[in-house]
């Protein structure tokens, strides 16, 4: 499949099949940031200390900002008259394409930090490559978001080290969080059929190329945290294809309440 040159990458320049694949993929990116941003926003007013309460709220806002840009682009790609609000708040759970990791419950602070670190380590390295995409809209979103993602990764990396190399209690909680969440991390770099097609077209980066940098950073953080890297864990998948855990339904019940009760609200 031929990639559209950047100088002519208007929506109408895409072949119908590529445009549909890109719509599904942009929706997947938007869903991912929306669900994780909503999860983090649940900490607002409940953080362990004010500074970290604000930090998590700021990360949530960054993700929601990224989400809006992506939903707006997805609506344009679809061309069926739906808006960013329709795509964010009026779809069924099976239509959401976020990976399973981001919908996992907040748990305690160690659970949230671990979930955030595993996501950030992928998100940052992915955005760093996506900003070179021939698709100008995706490249622009990535160019802005990668600066924020660098801060997110710094925050979650530092907390992984503090918790792992901290007190006996913090280490126990971090070990428990890794036992529960590590199995969801593999889906982030396991490409679906849509992702494989877009990777072959050169529109999005090949996840295999991200792995060396991701593994190097993860190894460094785990070593500093004195935590061994889990080995031989079966990886859960399915979220990016609409097969979710029971947690997503509860998130959407809260997230979609206002739009379904008072239709026509605008973000």
């Amino acid at each position: 499949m031929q990639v559209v040159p950047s100088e002519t990458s208007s929506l109408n320049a895409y072949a119908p099949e590529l445009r549909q694949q890109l719509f599904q993929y942009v929706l997947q990116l938007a869903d991912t940031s929306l669900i994780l941003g909503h999860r983090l926003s649940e900490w607002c007013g409940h953080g362990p200390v004010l500074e970290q309460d604000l930090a998590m709220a700021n990360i949530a806002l960054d993700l929601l900002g990224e989400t809006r840009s992506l939903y707006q682009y997805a609506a344009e790609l679809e061309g069926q008259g739906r808006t960013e609000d329709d795509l964010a708040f009026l779809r069924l759970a099976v239509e959401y394409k976020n990976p399973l990791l981001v919908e996992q419950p907040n748990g305690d602070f160690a659970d949230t930090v671990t979930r955030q670190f595993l996501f950030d380590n992928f998100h940052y390295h992915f955005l760093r490559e996506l900003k070179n995409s021939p698709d100008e809209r995706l490249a622009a979103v990535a160019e802005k978001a990668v600066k924020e993602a660098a801060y997110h990764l710094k925050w979650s990396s530092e907390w992984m080290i503090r918790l792992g190399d901290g007190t006996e209690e913090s280490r126990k909680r971090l070990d428990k969080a890794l036992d529960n969440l590590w199995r969801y991390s593999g889906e982030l770099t396991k490409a679906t059929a849509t992702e494989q097609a877009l990777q072959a077209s050169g529109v999005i980066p090949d996840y295999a190329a991200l792995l060396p940098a991701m593994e190097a950073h993860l190894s460094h953080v785990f070593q500093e945290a004195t935590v061994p890297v889990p080995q031989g864990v079966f990886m859960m998948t399915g979220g990016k294809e609409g097969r979710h855990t029971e947690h997503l339904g509860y998130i959407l019940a809260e997230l979609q309440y206002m739009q379904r009760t008072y239709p026509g609200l605008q973000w």
Side-chain angles (χ1 to χ4, degrees), residues 11 19 23 71-80 82 87 137:
L11 295 178
R19 181 166 170 160
F23 164 66
Y71 277 135
Q72 289 165 5
Y73 186 30
E76 293 176 38
L77 283 164
E78 185 187 39
Q80 299 296 318
R82 289 200 288 182
L87 294 175
R137 295 285 292 275

Side-chain angles (χ1 to χ4, degrees), residues 73-224:
Y73 186 30
E76 293 176 38
L77 283 164
E78 185 187 39
Q80 299 296 318
R82 289 200 288 182
T83 67
E84 57 176 314
D85 296 285
D86 297 329
L87 294 175
F89 302 117
L90 294 176
R91 289 186 294 138
L92 301 175
V94 294
E95 297 174 304
Y96 281 75
K97 308 299 183 185
N98 57 275
L100 298 174
L101 175 68
V102 301
E103 67 194 43
Q104 297 310 303
N106 285 335
D108 62 22
F109 188 61
D111 291 310
T112 295
V113 165
T114 302
R115 183 187 64 200
Q116 194 64 35
F117 171 73
L118 295 175
F119 175 76
D120 289 341
N121 194 33
F122 165 76
H123 194 215
Y124 168 71
H125 291 100
F126 167 71
L127 291 173
R128 201 170 62 167
E129 297 301 321
L130 185 65
K131 64 186 178 67
N132 300 316
S133 170
D135 184 284
E136 295 173 347
R137 295 285 292 275
L138 278 181
V141 171
E143 179 73 35
K144 178 178 184 298
V146 72
K147 300 168 187 171
E148 299 164 345
Y151 161 74
H152 303 168
L153 181 58
K154 181 176 184 295
W155 180 85
S156 58
S157 297
E158 289 177 352
W159 271 109
M160 286 289 290
I161 294 169
R162 289 186 192 182
L163 295 176
D165 195 28
T167 66
E168 182 179 346
E169 179 66 18
S170 70
R171 175 56 181 270
K172 183 176 73 174
R173 293 187 181 223
L174 185 64
D175 287 344
K176 178 175 173 288
L178 274 172
D179 283 345
N180 179 42
L181 294 169
W182 180 261
R183 57 183 162 161
Y184 298 110
S185 63
E187 186 181 14
L188 297 172
T189 53
K190 183 174 177 58
T192 63
T194 296
E195 289 171 304
Q196 290 174 3
L198 292 172
Q199 288 173 344
S201 301
V203 176
I204 66 172
D206 188 334
Y207 296 153
L210 309 180
L211 290 177
M214 287 178 59
E215 290 172 354
H217 184 73
L218 185 139
S219 296
H220 167 72
V221 170
F222 275 46
Q223 185 175 15
E224 290 291 311

Side-chain angles (χ1 to χ4, degrees), residues 85-86 89-91 252-266:
D85 296 285
D86 297 329
F89 302 117
L90 294 176
R91 289 186 294 138
L252 295 182
E254 181 178 347
L255 186 69
Q256 297 184 342
Y257 172 79
M258 288 295 289
Q259 187 63 255
R260 291 190 182 280
T261 305
Y262 303 100
L265 294 177
Q266 292 185 343

